[in-house]
Amino acid sequence: MSHTEDKGKVDGHGTQLYLEVPSSCLPIVYSPVYNITFMGLEKLHPFDSGKWGKVIHFLKEEKLISDGSIVEAREAAEEDLLVVHTKRYLNRLKWSLVVASITEIPPLLFLPNFLVQRRVLRPLRTQTGGTIMAGKLAVDRGWAINVGGGFHHCSSDKGGGFCAYADITLAIKFLFERVEGISRATIIDLDAHQGNGHERDFLDDRRVFIMDVYNRYIYPGDGYAKRAIKRKVELDWGTEDDEYLGKVELHTEGALNEVRPDIIVYNAGTDILDGDPLGGLAISPQGIVKRDEIVFRAARRRGIPILMVTSGGYQKRTARIIADSIINLRRQGLIGGNEDGEVTEECVGGVSLMMSRVGNGTGLVR
């Protein structure tokens, strides 16, 4: 039985995010809508708001993907977001002042909210939809990568740190509610910052094991959320490759030996890179590539599905590093390729239009 055939977990709202994807599509999720460009305002935040498209460009240059071989992300609808978010919180995002505060781009407060929705929040909702889609793909294929997402500072009722939607929490909740055999999840958060959003969301949920490795001295310093971390690794300023990679390997192995999850959500922030203005660590590009390899190797060796999201990274060269890491995962045999080169047209649209095997006769997973 496929994971989508569980009749006991398909009673939720109708969603466009869990349609079936052809086997010819690589489980790499992206949409050009991810990239935020609006009159140069995006340059007022150190985050490279076009890095996702650059990653795809580099992967195409290396012939790892083509336009037709990856899955196009769909925007998360309000009904999707309400699986985790409160109605009150979503209504607050209709105020430009609130969005300006969350994204840390003050001039947004002067713009009409319909523009903020279209040029800022829609890209973030599409990345959120991409993470939810990639969660199901990871279960179906053994691995998936959302080239965006990783908004780990956002919880059900509060955003911050450029994170307006709780995509990690949403992906896990969707899997728990809709996919057979998924009842335990491990979050491995290796962004330089503490992942206080998903930590607050899963504070009292024993189904979710959280490992978080972060610079102890930087944002957000959320002591309340730290109570949710089952394996906490606090780093000092300027931590370098040898110490960092040793701790990542030790604690990744330890976390997966302590509790065997049904899914791993890997938050692969690149703000650990040496010179990052916000991360405060000193990891080399090669160290980041090796870090991702360590996590994927631990997951694949155990046969545990893994979903990777790209999260933070505040230097122009991070896009190249993310692409190099994905290429290395392929070379190491830790992620698969489209071996026969056959690409179906449906990949371009992101999902197959064939009927879902869920027996509601609509083609929608409900």
Side-chain angles (χ1 to χ4, degrees):
M1 178 182 287
S2 77
H3 288 286
T4 55
E5 291 179 294
D6 177 21
K7 301 289 197 302
K9 288 196 176 187
V10 292
D11 294 327
H13 71 282
T15 181
Q16 292 291 315
L17 302 179
Y18 264 24
L19 297 185
E20 193 165 332
V21 174
S23 60
S24 55
C25 298
L26 287 170
I28 296 175
V29 184
Y30 169 74
S31 167
V33 178
Y34 282 14
N35 303 288
I36 300 172
T37 55
F38 185 46
M39 300 191 307
L41 289 178
E42 70 281 355
K43 297 178 182 177
L44 298 176
H45 192 281
F47 194 88
D48 180 3
S49 59
K51 77 173 183 179
W52 309 287
K54 295 172 187 174
V55 172
I56 294 296
H57 172 74
F58 293 135
L59 293 178
K60 288 178 181 176
E61 278 191 338
E62 299 292 335
K63 310 298 184 187
L64 186 72
I65 65 169
S66 63
D67 282 330
S69 68
I70 61 175
V71 179
E72 185 171 342
R74 293 189 169 196
E75 181 180 354
E78 182 172 9
E79 292 80 7
D80 299 318
L81 299 172
L82 286 169
V83 169
V84 166
H85 289 293
T86 62
K87 185 74 172 177
R88 177 178 177 273
Y89 174 72
L90 296 181
N91 284 336
R92 291 188 68 231
L93 295 179
K94 297 175 182 177
W95 294 88
S96 296
L97 174 61
V98 172
V99 180
S101 175
I102 289 171
T103 59
E104 301 170 349
I105 304 176
L108 289 181
L109 69 90
F110 299 111
L111 297 179
N113 190 258
F114 78 90
L115 285 178
V116 173
Q117 292 287 333
R118 182 187 308 161
R119 303 307 291 269
V120 179
L121 291 181
R122 180 174 174 242
L124 300 183
R125 285 193 297 269
T126 305
Q127 292 191 44
T128 297
T131 300
I132 296 168
M133 294 168 70
K136 180 175 181 294
L137 278 167
V139 173
D140 290 343
R141 308 289 185 82
W143 66 276
I145 297 170
N146 181 14
V147 173
F151 304 132
H152 66 157
H153 297 307
C154 187
S155 63
S156 63
D157 61 357
K158 185 178 182 181
F162 205 77
C163 302
Y165 301 105
D167 68 317
I168 292 174
T169 305
L170 279 158
I172 292 172
K173 287 287 185 71
F174 262 69
L175 290 171
F176 283 170
E177 292 176 5
R178 294 169 178 264
V179 180
E180 178 188 14
I182 306 298
S183 59
R184 290 175 298 185
T186 289
I187 299 170
I188 298 178
D189 195 332
L190 301 187
D191 187 274
H193 300 81
Q194 176 199 353
N196 61 319
H198 58 72
E199 288 163 9
R200 283 178 171 262
D201 286 334
F202 292 120
L203 187 62
D204 298 314
D205 194 331
R206 295 185 178 181
R207 299 173 298 174
V208 180
F209 185 102
I210 298 175
M211 167 181 156
D212 201 347
V213 182
Y214 56 89
N215 184 337
R216 70 175 78 219
Y217 299 110
I218 61 175
Y219 176 91
D222 190 336
Y224 179 78
K226 288 179 184 181
R227 296 164 51 205
I229 305 173
K230 302 298 193 300
R231 192 167 280 256
K232 177 173 61 178
V233 184
E234 296 188 323
L235 303 174
D236 293 320
W237 293 108
T239 298
E240 298 181 347
D241 285 20
D242 287 347
E243 178 186 353
Y244 178 77
L245 293 173
K247 288 182 174 179
V248 167
E249 185 162 20
L250 173 68
H251 290 285
T252 298
E253 293 290 332
L256 297 179
N257 287 338
E258 185 173 343
V259 175
R260 181 183 174 87
D262 303 308
I263 182 76
I264 296 167
V265 179
Y266 172 37
N267 196 47
T270 47
D271 51 1
I272 63 171
L273 181 64
D274 187 20
D276 190 279
L278 300 182
L281 303 177
I283 310 305
S284 70
Q286 297 78 15
I288 292 174
V289 171
K290 183 63 178 176
R291 175 201 68 175
D292 295 349
E293 181 183 328
I294 288 170
V295 176
F296 267 77
R297 194 172 297 281
R300 303 294 274 164
R301 188 170 64 248
R302 291 170 171 81
I304 303 171
I306 181 168
L307 157 62
M308 171 177 158
V309 290
T310 58
S311 202
Y314 306 94
Q315 299 184 70
K316 296 297 183 184
R317 56 187 178 141
T318 59
R320 177 76 254 183
I321 295 168
I322 293 168
D324 287 344
S325 180
I326 295 172
I327 292 163
N328 179 65
L329 293 174
R330 177 71 186 97
R331 287 174 178 163
Q332 297 295 325
L334 296 171
I335 62 175
N338 193 5
E339 308 298 351
D340 59 11
E342 182 181 349
V343 175
T344 62
E345 190 173 336
E346 288 89 346
C347 288
V348 179
V351 293
S352 169
L353 298 181
M354 67 177 116
M355 298 296 284
S356 168
R357 286 178 297 225
V358 175
N360 57 17
T362 66
L364 292 176
V365 177
R366 294 191 178 275

